[in-house]
Amino acid sequence: MADPDVKRLPIFQVDAFTDKPFAGNPAAVCLLEDVDLTDEHQQKIAAEMNLSETAYLRKLNSDDDFSSSSKFGLRWFTPTNEVALCGHATLASAATLFYMMKNPSPQLTFQTLSGDLFARREGDFISLDLPENKTQPLDREPYSQLLKIVVGDLTIQDLQVSHTAKKLVVRLQDGTRQTLESLRPDTVAMLAAHTQDIIRGVIVTVKGSVENGCVDNQGVMYDFISRYFAPWNGIAEDPVTGSAHTVLASYWAKELGKTEFYARQCSARGGDLKVRLREDGRVDVAGKATVVLQGMIRI
């Protein structure tokens, strides 16, 4: 006999920015149906799922339907806190609606803490319409200890910050992809080195070229590659980060004199992204996604 006090909610695990299971960046997506979860419950579920983000989709009106409506509320929780923007969990949310709920809408709108976000079908890709997060130069001295922990003795060519996204951009001197992939920062030491709330994540990036190994499996060159560390959000390293590319698009547009990029985030799982900086101050971040788990969560 079913327990009337137990609520059951549909939940999915989606690997974002990849077309293969067990790659890209995994996110949980929970459909709130007609259940109104407290913030405490949402945080507990995110801690239970223990992924970098758990997304919660909610209906905006009582007669809305996940299989046919085109506008929803969306929130994101890490295992430790709510965040204002998460690209890969937005991609995962759109994939859940498009692929699992068979939602036919060509474009979905999500009401979020970062304003309205949009997800469009573009062939095999899902393109996210996200806000640009501009960068500006930063004095290195206050962050010298943190930088030493993250990149060791490697030469830093440029250091910038996005105050809106609370992300540090560390551009290494043009080197090899292997050098970037070999970084093993002590994330506990990172937390100790920066205790203010100015920065919540560190992006390390390198300009791409054929010579430094920045090519995909077909030999196509990446314009830039990156890794992202966010221990302040409970994430030692994020596999593929859509929001980080709203910062990287702004930075590399100035450096490369172009607005369309093919990028790789070089975590152990890794993922490819198509990124476009638009004239209206928005960034299109496109990737593929695959659903790897479907079930019900009991609360």
Side-chain angles (χ1 to χ4, degrees), residues 125 177 209-210 213-223 225 262-264 271-274:
F125 285 75
R177 173 176 175 175
S209 71
V210 174
C214 291
V215 296
D216 66 12
N217 294 334
Q218 281 72 49
V220 180
M221 189 189 84
Y222 298 114
D223 293 292
I225 59 175
Y262 182 38
R264 172 81 179 175
D272 295 341
L273 310 91
K274 293 181 178 179

Side-chain angles (χ1 to χ4, degrees), residues 278-289:
R278 301 189 338 220
E279 292 183 356
D280 61 355
R282 306 286 293 182
V283 180
D284 292 327
V285 178
K288 298 180 180 180

Side-chain angles (χ1 to χ4, degrees), residues 7 13 15-16 21 28 43 47 56-57 64 67 78 109 112 121 138 141 176 233 259 262 264-265 290 292:
K7 300 173 184 175
Q13 186 165 319
D15 289 343
Q43 187 62 71
Y56 296 91
L57 282 167
D64 283 350
S67 298
T78 78
T109 302
T112 80
R121 299 176 190 264
L138 188 68
E141 187 54 37
T176 68
N233 282 330
T259 55
Y262 182 38
R264 172 81 179 175
Q265 194 160 327
T290 182
V292 296

